[in-house]
Amino acid sequence: MEIALHAVSVSIIVPCYNVAPYVDACMDSLVCQTLRDIEIICVNDGSTDGTPALLRAWEERDSRVRVIDRENGGLSVARNTGMELAAGEYIGFVDPDDYVEHSMYARLLEEARRHDSDVVACGYTCFSVHGGKVFEKWNISPDFGVEEDAQSSVFGSGSACERMDIVAWNKLYKRGFLERNNLCFEPSCRQAEDVLFWLMLLAHVSRLAVIPDRLYWYRKEREGVLSLKWEEEGAPVLLLIDRLACATVYWKKFGWLESGLERGWVVYFLRCYLLQRLVPVHKPFPPLSREEWRAFHGKFQEWFALAGDKVDRLQILDKWETAFCRLLSQPAKTPYWMRRMWWKLLSRRGGRRGRYYTLRVLLAQEYPKK
């Protein structure tokens, strides 16, 4: 167990960009934390509305609040700026259009110290920007769990990791753990930052804890944010395959890829982030142009080559998921017109067989007809 002196117990990092209508509610929930031993680092990421003035007012009101101004660099850069300045034993992230329960950081810190966790997570409540309606289907209240050796856990065994979600803001991270492994958000990422950060973190983390308490309030449907469209359609598959490929390069660099494949984690992420957008019959295919399908197919082949280039290594996939992977992992063959017509006919069948041949037709758009 790490024994060290820290200026404060928890550093809370709040990256802010044009959030004037929401930031006061967020800040009020932070300065009212029952855990008083905190610092609140607000990174003004080049806001052009009233956000900077509101943040300065909070800084004057409470000595634990620090405001850092920087030119706009995106969420990842703003969070990294806060991490560089953090002095706490643990670090947490809050998005400025959300708010938290007053007991959040006291509860998370209690569990983190009790289990000497590298990361501890809690549940959360999703609510509408329009009237505050709670979306029960989106709420997360995970079963309690502690993982003492995450590097040996197998997917499907009830691991705490499976219950923690990929978002950055429902967690506390041990600062020493992050610094020791040089973990930060990828500056080039301006979308799906949390996905890549979590996937990179899993190559190093040992001790995890998760509690069921819903301590974070996540605002959905806010105008002007990408997540509004993603909630309706899902994150773009081209973006997701890119994030998975970046993570796979990282895993390979740090020697985690083989272990992640053997224990089912790599396949779990493949299924979770990509196959769930392609295989289920109740979901429409991603609305990609011919050029975008070509790019997606090429990126999937690149990822598959990185991951070992053998479909039989993806043991936990079912028959049709495996068939989709085989199709995507290989260059598409130029179909003759009769074969193309046959695929189109089979694509009208129900179930995943029809879905599979629909994908074949979509991929065949890449190539000139014969």
Side-chain angles (χ1 to χ4, degrees), residues 8 61 78 117 157 170 172 208 232 251 254 285 288 331 344:
V8 292
R61 194 180 311 173
S117 301
S157 62
N170 71 329
L172 265 188
L208 299 169
E232 298 170 350
W251 295 336
F254 286 94
F285 272 108
L288 304 182
K344 287 185 176 181

Side-chain angles (χ1 to χ4, degrees), residues 7-8 10-13 39 41 66 80-92 175 179:
V8 292
V10 174
S11 298
I12 304 169
I13 297 168
E39 64 173 353
I41 303 173
R66 299 171 61 191
N80 289 344
T81 299
M83 291 170 70
E84 291 169 4
L85 299 170
E89 177 187 2
Y90 282 84
I91 290 176
R175 182 163 66 93
E179 292 179 347

